Amino acid sequence: MELGELREPHPEPELVSVRHTVAPGETMYRISRTYGITVEELSEANGISDPRTLSVGQELIIPGFEQPVRVATESSPTPEPERGRPVPGSKPPASGTAAPARPPVVVTAPSRQAPRPPTAQAPSRPVPETKGMLDWPLRGVLYARFGKKGREPHDGIDLAAPAGTPVKTAQEGSVLYAGEQRGYGLIVIVQHSEHLITLYAHNRDLRVRTGQKVRRGQVIATVGESGKTSGPQLHMEVRVGGKPVDPLDYLGPLPSS
């Protein structure tokens, strides 16, 4: 793959995430429902394989939110609206007179309706045979996926992580290029086979050189914000035959640490 074949850098989305501290009575289901994301997305962002292992005081990264939200539990439900305020359009009682008693509220049982037939669900996407061929280069928050960002193509995935986090190779291979590329900052391109290549961009510093052999899981760089980006992150691409493919079709399970 020629370096000139790299597309112009896409506009990076803002790195927006919040840390939520787990309180007593909170579960992965309640937390994800409160923030409007799925349990799978919340688990994936935090590297949690079993949602039942959640513990009080644990910090969770919630991508896409700027401040924590209160989670309703059985012991602390969401607060009810304040009582005692006058109904709009009504007149307050005269001074020295008691407020008129409210009429009782009659609750009627809902009418029985015939059960609706279950809606057909779209078939789940089959797991590609390439799943697990590559390892994750680090544990971070997946906040941008492969595809498009608006009208701009997005040839890889973006993982937010603290600056200086080690970036590891997804598989053994040889360094096709290690240096600077316009827009991508400091990058490392590793060739794993005749057709398979991985790219790691926006690094703070590089730990390998062009032509060097690397083993699987070897540290090749550290997370930074070089090039065109809005914060510390790793932009990773997977290319097969020179064409970008979805890295999630090749990456295995998220690392636990």
Side-chain angles (χ1 to χ4, degrees), residues 41-96:
E41 290 172 335
L42 183 59
S43 300
E44 187 177 82
N46 292 274
I48 297 175
S49 57
D50 187 355
R52 295 170 298 180
T53 61
L54 199 65
S55 59
V56 175
Q58 181 176 349
E59 283 194 344
L60 298 177
I61 296 176
I62 314 292
F65 281 78
E66 297 179 349
Q67 58 184 2
V69 178
R70 179 184 175 188
V71 177
T73 62
E74 294 180 358
S75 58
S76 60
T78 52
E80 297 180 356
E82 294 184 15
R83 298 178 180 177
R85 292 187 176 180
V87 178
S90 64
K91 296 182 179 180
S95 176

Side-chain angles (χ1 to χ4, degrees), residues 166-238:
V167 177
K168 302 177 181 179
T169 51
Q171 196 185 81
E172 65 276 359
S174 60
V175 179
L176 189 64
Y177 176 75
E180 190 170 1
Q181 178 75 7
R182 186 180 65 176
Y184 287 84
L186 295 176
I187 68 170
V188 177
I189 301 175
V190 180
Q191 183 165 13
H192 306 288
S193 66
E194 183 180 355
H195 303 289
L196 180 63
I197 288 172
T198 55
L199 177 149
Y200 314 81
H202 302 311
N203 299 291
R204 185 172 71 178
D205 58 63
L206 306 180
R207 303 292 178 86
V208 292
R209 63 184 183 278
T210 302
Q212 179 179 338
K213 297 289 184 181
V214 291
R215 63 184 182 277
R216 191 169 194 153
Q218 180 176 336
V219 176
I220 57 174
T222 60
V223 171
E225 45 189 319
S226 60
K228 188 177 180 181
T229 181
S230 57
Q233 59 137 321
L234 173 68
H235 174 77
M236 180 189 185
E237 295 183 12
V238 177

Side-chain angles (χ1 to χ4, degrees), residues 31-169:
I31 296 173
S32 60
R33 185 177 181 182
T34 299
Y35 285 96
I37 60 178
T38 65
V39 174
E40 290 74 19
E41 290 172 335
L42 183 59
S43 300
E44 187 177 82
N46 292 274
I48 297 175
S49 57
D50 187 355
R52 295 170 298 180
T53 61
L54 199 65
S55 59
V56 175
Q58 181 176 349
E59 283 194 344
L60 298 177
I61 296 176
I62 314 292
F65 281 78
E66 297 179 349
Q67 58 184 2
V69 178
R70 179 184 175 188
V71 177
T73 62
E74 294 180 358
S75 58
S76 60
T78 52
E80 297 180 356
E82 294 184 15
R83 298 178 180 177
R85 292 187 176 180
V87 178
S90 64
K91 296 182 179 180
S95 176
T97 61
R102 294 183 179 178
V105 179
V106 179
V107 181
T108 58
S111 58
R112 294 180 176 271
Q113 296 180 352
R116 294 181 181 179
T119 56
Q121 296 181 350
S124 58
R125 183 185 179 192
V127 178
E129 296 181 358
T130 54
K131 190 74 172 177
M133 180 182 293
L134 300 175
D135 294 338
W136 288 80
L138 53 79
R139 179 184 176 183
V141 177
L142 175 64
Y143 75 96
R145 295 173 180 262
F146 176 86
K148 285 188 176 182
K149 283 290 181 184
R151 296 182 179 180
E152 298 293 331
H154 192 239
D155 290 341
I157 59 174
D158 294 335
L159 297 166
T165 300
V167 177
K168 302 177 181 179
T169 51

